[in-house]
Amino acid sequence: MKRGKKYLEVEKLVDKTKKYSLVEAIELAQKTKVAKFDATMDAAFRLNVDPRKAEQNLRGAIVLPNGTGKVQRVLVIARGEKAKEAEAAGADFVGDSDYINKIQQGWFDFDIIVATPDVMGELGKLGRVLGPKGLMPNPKTGTVTMDVTRAVQEIKNGKVEYRCDKVGNIHLGFGKSSFDAVKLAENFKAIFEVLQKAKPSTVKGDYFKNISISTSMGPGIKVDVTSI
């Protein structure tokens, strides 16, 4: 992959043979930002798991203590009182069959869907459309629930989802490059602790094989797990 001149310049600041402490890595990532916009801080965890085994196919959600810096547009698919609760909680869009039909016609002006269990039968028919985009609600991430108030509030307050890819990697954002380094470290530690608690009992040996952070389009920086 061909890299730009600015990327090649900042890449020289990163020692590829070194594992940095968490705060050092965050500050270096901020220093090596190449994007002209307020870039997302990305975390990459290479885990010693086999996602082909059900108990090692990790998936869940975390509410970051200092938010993500991104405004999430929430669509709630619910009926009756639950729809009213969603509106009161601050959902951007609330409806039932009307929004399911809009999605079928190609409408995707939202970032996440919350749904009550009773509508999943109808919403599930859109699996081929929503699944590949990572938009299908799931009980494991708290997006299929009767407690729509809590679900919407958590998303608005900085909830992020995580999921293993086919080789056991987890990638997710943990804030913006403009955040204070201490707040970014707090967000990162919150993710680390959740993943640590999610360690399957069947995993033997080192669980965290490699951890790195970067800004959007910036170089990767390895993190020393003992510093977290």
Side-chain angles (χ1 to χ4, degrees), residues 63 119 121 134 137 143 161 165 188:
V63 179
V119 300
T143 47
E161 297 182 7
D165 63 16
F188 189 96

Side-chain angles (χ1 to χ4, degrees), residues 6 60 65 105 110 115 119 152-153 170 183 193 198 201:
K6 188 173 181 181
Q105 292 165 20
F110 56 89
V119 300
V152 171
Q153 290 176 345
I170 289 179
K183 290 186 176 182
E193 288 169 5
S201 58

Side-chain angles (χ1 to χ4, degrees), residues 64-208:
L64 300 181
N66 299 302
T68 63
K70 179 183 177 182
V71 178
Q72 295 270 57
R73 298 166 299 174
V74 184
L75 165 62
V76 176
I77 306 294
R79 303 182 178 116
E81 287 300 315
K82 291 301 171 183
K84 292 177 183 177
E85 287 178 22
E87 290 175 353
D92 299 275
F93 310 101
V94 181
D96 185 8
S97 301
D98 51 342
Y99 277 102
I100 292 174
N101 291 335
K102 283 186 72 172
I103 294 169
Q104 283 179 320
Q105 292 165 20
W107 178 77
F108 290 100
D109 291 340
F110 56 89
D111 300 299
I112 192 165
I113 302 176
V114 173
T116 51
D118 57 308
V119 300
M120 284 304 295
E122 191 174 353
L123 188 60
K125 296 173 184 177
L126 299 181
R128 290 184 180 179
V129 177
L130 297 174
K133 294 178 180 291
L135 292 171
M136 180 59 76
N138 189 292
K140 288 184 178 179
T141 60
T143 47
V144 177
T145 177
M146 290 300 287
D147 193 350
V148 294
T149 297
R150 179 180 177 181
V152 171
Q153 290 176 345
E154 284 185 341
I155 293 165
K156 291 294 185 180
N157 288 332
K159 185 177 183 178
V160 292
E161 297 182 7
Y162 66 86
R163 185 176 188 177
C164 276
D165 63 16
K166 293 180 180 179
V167 292
N169 295 323
I170 289 179
H171 297 267
L172 70 169
F174 64 102
K176 293 290 185 180
S177 58
S178 60
F179 280 22
D180 178 81
V182 173
K183 290 186 176 182
L184 285 169
E186 289 172 352
N187 280 354
F188 189 96
K189 286 178 181 177
I191 296 168
F192 180 82
E193 288 169 5
V194 167
L195 293 181
Q196 203 168 35
K197 289 177 183 176
K199 178 183 176 181
S201 58
T202 50
V203 169
K204 306 300 179 185
D206 291 337
Y207 178 47
F208 292 101

